[in-house]
Amino acid sequence: MATCRKLTKQLMKELLDSIDTILLDCDGVLWHSNIAVPGAAETINKLRSMMYTCHFSFLQGKQPIFVTNNSTKSRLQYQEKFTKMGFIVSKDEIFGTAYCAALYLKHKLNFTGKVYLMGMSGLEEEMKLHGIDYIGTGPDNVEGQILDHRADNVVLDPDVNGVVVGFDQYFSFMKLLKAASYLKRPNSVFIGTNIDQQFPMRNSELIMPGTGSLVRPVEVASNRTATTLGKPSKFMFECIQEKFDVNPERTIMIGDRLNTDILLGKNCGLKTLAVLTGVTSEEEILGYQGSEKEKERELVPDLYIESIGHLGKLLD
Amino acid sequence: MATCRKLTKQLMKELLDSIDTILLDCDGVLWHSNIAVPGAAETINKLRSMMYTCHFSFLQGKQPIFVTNNSTKSRLQYQEKFTKMGFIVSKDEIFGTAYCAALYLKHKLNFTGKVYLMGMSGLEEEMKLHGIDYIGTGPDNVEGQILDHRADNVVLDPDVNGVVVGFDQYFSFMKLLKAASYLKRPNSVFIGTNIDQQFPMRNSELIMPGTGSLVRPVEVASNRTATTLGKPSKFMFECIQEKFDVNPERTIMIGDRLNTDILLGKNCGLKTLAVLTGVTSEEEILGYQGSEKEKERELVPDLYIESIGHLGKLLD
């Protein structure tokens, strides 16, 4: 039986004593799309700046670090979004998969060459900032008709030796064809920023497909498997550790999704806290506690609370 | 140990005695893209018209039936292609997945309503011929920018209660979004014409993604599983049996792909013959004979031959 406790004022005191760093997922925790979760900015700003005494020692504020699988924005673009919503934040504290994809290519693979990039401006910006050559962004559709599955007019770039798939609203058959074709080249690199199936949508009849539904077709067509970087892959935590002196035992991961956020925390030996403002319900968490499936019990967070705003109130 | 024999003149005589019907895959067997395999039309025309005596009985010609997973053409469009290449063929002998998808909706599901259709003109034509209402064909791309994964301008059709995914050169993010959203509706029908990963391409640096790489993303985004109709699913053989008096024991399936063509034959109790003009090599077939994996041994055809043209020569 895995145990998850609801965060109370008493537990909050113990928690604050035991952590220095707070990793936070963004969508579903701090905001929904472009609407902030009530109290989110106040809570984070307070945690950062709080100075208080406890057990006769003087404690410093907590370091927030933002960890998102969303690849559409660069760190700078995220900083703007955070600032608009009232968060005090430095771009160095923001780890999105656009940034991490650039780090992975640059530092993990020592990649030289050119990538075929499926992605939006955030991914482009991070590639540029890290000096990684790329092609492929923007619309690219089949012109005329592909008859008898011939595509005689498609010309590939001889220098491309890698494919990076992030969220791309211009995803198209032509892009799929080109990505798969580049992946036919021996030793070509294949990275997916993340494998989330959908973006969270509240009260909508629509499903907004996530990057996972763009990575999979490239995998199917190319008959290859992408290296994927987002949570729950440890790579994002490694990126954080490169930049911050983070002690996993004194770090908590706060998120709304069990199989990405909470699992990242578990994979990296962090404490874990789920909020109920995103994709996971209280019933689900409590149900998983006594699940017969080990995979489900592994997803149970240490703690849960209604929302980041409720957490803020426990600080008063 | 599964045993596969190379088709010889002697075996050919025995074979002709034991079959009335010949199912044929098209791409990789009869043609590559729009170029006929040498001798293909002559062989099929001869099999159809041959009248000969054997063991004192007078035997009729063999009934050829064409079975393709390709969903881009209607029966009429295929008939044109066959005729151009010199085949004598009636449209009733052609079973493509565009036609079979319409049959599945109409007769298996008694579908009423409207489908969101990803597909080319062949699929459209078959839907029209079977009186199935549809929307969605042709280009449909995101206009403007999807910011913060909001798609406020997307309007769904209230009458759509099914999604059919075939090959679609206009496959796009917008289409993926709409297909997944329609599949969120309770009881909506979800059909994929086939799951081939790629089209066969000879001597090309390109990969031409197959319908499988368009069905999968819709499955991932919608978190649903499509009913897929193409080979090796028995449904195509059921369609044939509805129209022709076919005795499985006196039928042979000729194809180039083991996990679709040959497996269809095995699934339906047919004799099987592989040709080496497509995706499968002699080494592969012979290697599978002694494979430790039952799944691989199951794919071993009864017979193989270099090409349909070589088969034709054995008829002389």
Side-chain angles (χ1 to χ4, degrees):
Chain A
M1 174 105 183
T3 323
C4 179
R5 293 185 294 175
K6 187 162 183 181
L7 189 58
T8 58
K9 192 132 188 164
Q10 182 52 40
L11 285 173
M12 187 72 202
K13 278 184 193 157
E14 289 173 29
L15 183 65
L16 287 171
D17 270 4
S18 69
I19 59 164
D20 303 317
T21 312
I22 302 175
L23 305 191
L24 290 133
D25 175 41
C26 301
D27 207 353
V29 177
L30 305 179
W31 58 64
H32 297 111
S33 180
N34 54 359
I35 299 161
V37 169
E42 296 81 345
T43 301
I44 305 307
N45 296 345
K46 196 170 196 173
L47 279 164
R48 177 195 294 282
S49 64
M50 70 194 307
M51 300 288 177
Y52 63 106
T53 53
C54 178
H55 295 298
F56 309 108
S57 63
F58 185 76
L59 294 176
Q60 285 198 337
K62 308 304 178 192
Q63 170 70 60
I65 293 172
F66 305 94
V67 195
T68 173
N69 275 1
N70 190 316
S71 68
T72 60
K73 290 185 171 62
S74 66
R75 285 162 299 159
L76 265 175
Q77 289 169 329
Y78 265 117
Q79 195 183 18
E80 253 180 64
K81 176 165 181 166
F82 273 106
T83 305
K84 263 189 202 160
M85 290 190 182
F87 291 87
I88 300 159
V89 62
S90 130
K91 85 171 179 20
D92 289 335
E93 294 167 337
I94 303 165
F95 293 81
T97 50
Y99 173 53
C100 290
L103 290 183
Y104 191 89
L105 285 167
K106 191 83 180 174
H107 299 304
K108 199 99 173 176
L109 301 180
N110 297 312
F111 180 84
T112 54
K114 197 188 270 186
V115 295
Y116 181 69
L117 192 66
M118 286 197 198
M120 307 302 292
S121 65
L123 201 48
E124 282 195 73
E125 204 174 299
E126 293 292 356
M127 292 291 149
K128 275 184 204 151
L129 282 168
H130 290 81
I132 296 162
D133 206 6
Y134 66 87
I135 56 164
T137 55
D140 186 9
N141 296 302
V142 174
E143 281 173 36
Q145 282 255 357
I146 294 182
L147 292 173
D148 297 308
H149 56 85
R150 289 180 71 95
D152 300 326
N153 299 326
V154 177
V155 178
L156 298 184
D157 182 324
D159 298 330
V160 168
N161 56 346
V163 171
V164 175
V165 182
F167 178 81
D168 184 0
Q169 72 170 52
Y170 302 115
F171 188 83
S172 66
F173 184 78
M174 181 56 90
K175 289 190 169 199
L176 178 59
L177 186 166
K178 287 183 179 170
S181 300
Y182 285 125
L183 288 169
K184 201 175 171 183
R185 296 183 175 173
N187 306 318
S188 57
V189 163
F190 183 15
I191 292 170
T193 57
N194 59 300
I195 50 169
D196 300 59
Q197 292 178 261
Q198 308 173 347
F199 283 95
M201 299 283 277
R202 288 174 87 80
N203 310 319
S204 174
E205 60 170 352
L206 298 179
I207 284 177
M208 179 63 60
T211 305
S213 45
L214 309 184
V215 174
R216 276 301 283 147
V218 181
E219 291 187 323
V220 173
S222 65
N223 205 19
R224 289 188 51 177
T225 304
T227 301
T228 53
L229 306 179
K231 299 170 283 182
S233 151
K234 281 185 185 180
F235 180 68
M236 293 194 85
F237 191 62
E238 288 173 27
C239 294
I240 294 168
Q241 284 184 305
E242 284 282 318
K243 205 178 273 185
F244 290 92
D245 186 21
V246 176
N247 176 353
E249 288 175 17
R250 293 191 57 81
T251 300
I252 192 165
M253 173 75 214
I254 304 180
D256 69 310
R257 195 183 280 271
L258 303 185
N259 64 359
T260 54
D261 301 323
I262 301 306
L263 192 55
L264 175 80
K266 302 260 178 173
N267 284 343
C268 301
L270 320 180
K271 300 178 204 310
T272 51
L273 167 66
V275 293
L276 305 177
T277 42
V279 297
T280 309
S281 67
E282 188 173 13
E283 293 69 43
E284 245 176 292
I285 294 173
L286 300 179
Y288 276 17
Q289 285 187 127
S291 170
E292 289 181 0
K293 296 180 188 157
E294 197 187 331
K295 287 266 173 218
E296 288 186 353
R297 290 198 308 277
E298 279 174 8
L299 298 179
V300 175
D302 302 318
L303 297 161
Y304 75 99
I305 193 168
E306 289 90 341
S307 76
I308 198 79
H310 285 74
L311 188 151
K313 282 184 195 149
L314 296 182
L315 295 174
D316 295 334
Chain B
M1 175 103 182
T3 323
C4 180
R5 293 186 294 176
K6 189 162 183 180
L7 188 57
T8 58
K9 192 132 189 166
Q10 181 54 39
L11 286 173
M12 187 73 202
K13 277 184 195 160
E14 290 173 27
L15 183 65
L16 287 172
D17 269 3
S18 67
I19 58 165
D20 302 317
T21 313
I22 302 175
L23 306 191
L24 290 133
D25 176 40
C26 301
D27 207 353
V29 178
L30 305 179
W31 57 63
H32 298 111
S33 180
N34 55 358
I35 299 161
V37 168
E42 294 81 347
T43 301
I44 305 307
N45 296 345
K46 194 170 199 173
L47 278 163
R48 176 195 294 282
S49 63
M50 70 193 308
M51 300 286 179
Y52 62 105
T53 53
C54 178
H55 294 299
F56 309 107
S57 64
F58 186 75
L59 294 176
Q60 285 200 335
K62 308 303 174 191
Q63 169 71 59
I65 294 174
F66 305 93
V67 194
T68 172
N69 276 0
N70 190 318
S71 67
T72 60
K73 290 185 170 63
S74 65
R75 286 162 298 160
L76 264 176
Q77 290 169 329
Y78 265 117
Q79 194 184 18
E80 253 180 64
K81 178 167 179 164
F82 274 106
T83 305
K84 262 189 202 163
M85 289 189 183
F87 292 87
I88 300 159
V89 62
S90 131
K91 86 172 177 21
D92 288 334
E93 295 168 335
I94 302 166
F95 293 80
T97 51
Y99 173 53
C100 290
L103 290 183
Y104 192 88
L105 284 167
K106 192 84 179 171
H107 299 302
K108 198 99 175 177
L109 301 180
N110 298 312
F111 181 84
T112 53
K114 197 189 269 187
V115 294
Y116 182 71
L117 192 66
M118 286 196 199
M120 307 303 292
S121 65
L123 201 47
E124 283 194 74
E125 204 173 298
E126 293 292 357
M127 292 291 148
K128 274 184 207 153
L129 282 169
H130 290 81
I132 296 162
D133 205 5
Y134 66 87
I135 56 165
T137 54
D140 186 8
N141 297 301
V142 174
E143 279 173 38
Q145 282 255 355
I146 294 182
L147 293 172
D148 296 308
H149 55 86
R150 290 178 71 94
D152 301 324
N153 299 328
V154 177
V155 179
L156 298 184
D157 182 323
D159 298 330
V160 168
N161 56 347
V163 171
V164 175
V165 182
F167 179 81
D168 184 1
Q169 72 171 51
Y170 301 114
F171 187 82
S172 66
F173 184 78
M174 180 56 89
K175 290 190 168 198
L176 179 58
L177 187 165
K178 287 182 179 172
S181 300
Y182 285 123
L183 289 170
K184 202 176 169 180
R185 297 183 175 173
N187 307 319
S188 57
V189 163
F190 182 15
I191 291 170
T193 56
N194 58 301
I195 51 170
D196 300 59
Q197 294 178 257
Q198 307 172 349
F199 283 95
M201 300 283 277
R202 288 174 85 82
N203 310 319
S204 174
E205 58 169 355
L206 298 180
I207 283 177
M208 180 62 60
T211 305
S213 45
L214 309 184
V215 174
R216 275 302 283 145
V218 180
E219 291 187 323
V220 173
S222 66
N223 205 19
R224 289 187 51 178
T225 304
T227 301
T228 52
L229 306 180
K231 299 169 283 184
S233 151
K234 282 184 184 179
F235 180 68
M236 293 195 83
F237 190 62
E238 288 173 28
C239 295
I240 294 168
Q241 284 183 305
E242 285 283 316
K243 205 177 274 183
F244 289 91
D245 184 24
V246 176
N247 177 355
E249 287 175 19
R250 294 192 56 83
T251 301
I252 190 165
M253 172 75 214
I254 303 181
D256 69 311
R257 197 183 280 270
L258 303 185
N259 63 359
T260 52
D261 301 323
I262 302 306
L263 192 54
L264 175 79
K266 301 262 178 171
N267 285 342
C268 302
L270 319 179
K271 301 179 204 307
T272 51
L273 166 66
V275 292
L276 305 176
T277 41
V279 298
T280 308
S281 66
E282 187 172 14
E283 294 68 42
E284 245 176 293
I285 295 173
L286 301 179
Y288 276 16
Q289 286 188 127
S291 171
E292 289 181 359
K293 297 180 189 157
E294 198 188 329
K295 288 265 172 220
E296 288 185 353
R297 290 199 308 277
E298 279 174 10
L299 298 179
V300 175
D302 302 320
L303 298 161
Y304 74 99
I305 193 167
E306 289 88 341
S307 75
I308 198 78
H310 285 75
L311 189 151
K313 282 183 194 151
L314 297 183
L315 295 174
D316 294 334

